[in-house]
Amino acid sequence: TQLLEQSPQFLSIQEGENLTVYCNSSSVFSSLQWYRQEPGEGPVLLVTVVTGGEVKKLKRLTFQFGDARKDSSLHITAAQPGDTGLYLCAGAWGGSNYKLTFGKGTLLTVNP
Amino acid sequence: DTGVSQDPRHKITKRGQNVTFRCDPISEHNRLYWYRQTLGQGPEFLTYFQNEAQLEKSRLLSDRFSAERPKGSFSTLEIQRTEQGDSAMYLCASSSDSFYGYTFGSGTRLTVV
């Protein structure tokens, strides 16, 4: 069974602050995705990374995939209350990009 | 296309009863997935289909759980003889062969009392 470790589990910050959350595995990912989930709703895909060292930006969000494809980070610049939610990383292994294993998530609260 | 639809959104049932959930994926997507999520946890894989074929089923899934996708379109997940431990959010997602990512539905919240 592949495991994904996310940290921190909880994060509470003030509006305007920067933050980084992490996702790690002992195995090499074939691809990794980040999702954001709001209470009572399904997760929404933010980004997919495939290539080691890849960096993708989505407005104030920056996603990085480790060179060895075993880890990833999500950095948010100048957080806003609308960024509040559960951030989930999900990885695929073994050449299959279809079955995903999810981490436990980072619950982010941005206070006005 | 309105995305992935799940029905019902909420279900309260008594222990021992059977329940069935429905998922309608995005029409162009040939792959469909079921996950379960409990409070404080990420989604946990249950099973997945490519068209009408069930390709994988989690070993964590007891014989009380069964899923079907009879015509490669909508899918149903049935839980027989529900237990309190089955209380969770049941999420359905779909994807295409060329899309590296899932589109999730809003989920069905099951409460077993």
Side-chain angles (χ1 to χ4, degrees):
Chain A
T1 301
Q2 309 291 0
L3 292 176
L4 273 170
E5 300 289 335
Q6 283 192 247
S7 62
Q9 190 174 355
F10 301 98
L11 191 55
S12 181
I13 62 172
Q14 294 301 121
E15 183 175 1
E17 292 183 357
N18 301 332
L19 66 114
T20 303
V21 299
Y22 300 92
C23 177
N24 296 280
S25 172
S26 58
S27 301
V28 175
F29 297 108
S30 56
S31 70
L32 185 139
Q33 297 161 19
W34 286 92
Y35 292 79
R36 177 170 167 267
Q37 185 177 25
E38 296 191 16
E41 297 295 330
V44 175
L45 179 67
L46 297 174
V47 77
T48 300
V49 286
V50 178
T51 305
E54 186 173 6
V55 177
K56 285 192 173 181
K57 292 191 175 183
L58 184 66
K59 297 182 180 178
R60 294 176 293 101
L61 278 60
T62 301
F63 304 86
Q64 188 157 7
F65 200 17
D67 290 340
R69 293 190 292 142
K70 290 185 176 182
D71 60 276
S72 180
S73 64
L74 158 59
H75 181 80
I76 301 179
T77 303
Q80 299 176 0
D83 295 326
T84 293
L86 180 67
Y87 288 82
L88 295 158
C89 70
W93 289 270
S96 169
N97 286 309
Y98 301 116
K99 177 190 168 186
L100 295 178
T101 298
F102 284 81
K104 290 185 177 182
T106 294
L107 185 60
L108 171 66
T109 303
V110 182
N111 302 298
Chain B
D1 199 329
T2 56
V4 178
S5 299
Q6 290 190 247
D7 183 69
R9 286 296 308 273
H10 304 276
K11 179 71 176 180
I12 300 174
T13 190
K14 292 183 178 179
R15 190 173 50 188
Q17 297 293 306
N18 299 342
V19 294
T20 300
F21 309 141
R22 177 180 170 119
C23 173
D24 287 89
I26 291 174
S27 55
E28 309 89 74
H29 287 178
N30 62 335
R31 296 175 187 266
L32 185 146
Y33 313 83
W34 286 99
Y35 282 76
R36 177 173 63 189
Q37 187 176 25
T38 53
L39 199 62
Q41 303 293 321
E44 175 187 38
F45 173 78
L46 295 179
T47 189
Y48 105 86
F49 294 83
Q50 180 180 358
N51 300 312
E52 66 275 11
Q54 187 173 19
L55 295 189
E56 190 170 343
K57 185 176 176 180
S58 170
R59 279 173 273 180
L60 300 174
L61 217 59
S62 76
D63 291 342
R64 296 184 298 107
F65 287 73
S66 62
E68 293 183 342
R69 195 183 182 198
K71 296 183 179 180
S73 56
F74 73 91
S75 176
T76 58
L77 177 68
E78 180 183 17
I79 309 174
Q80 296 182 329
R81 304 181 304 281
T82 52
E83 302 171 356
Q84 285 190 322
D86 297 331
S87 295
M89 173 77 90
Y90 289 83
L91 293 164
C92 175
S94 68
S95 74
S96 66
D97 286 343
S98 60
F99 179 55
Y100 282 25
Y102 291 177
T103 301
F104 279 92
S106 296
T108 294
R109 168 74 64 189
L110 174 66
T111 303
V112 182
V113 297

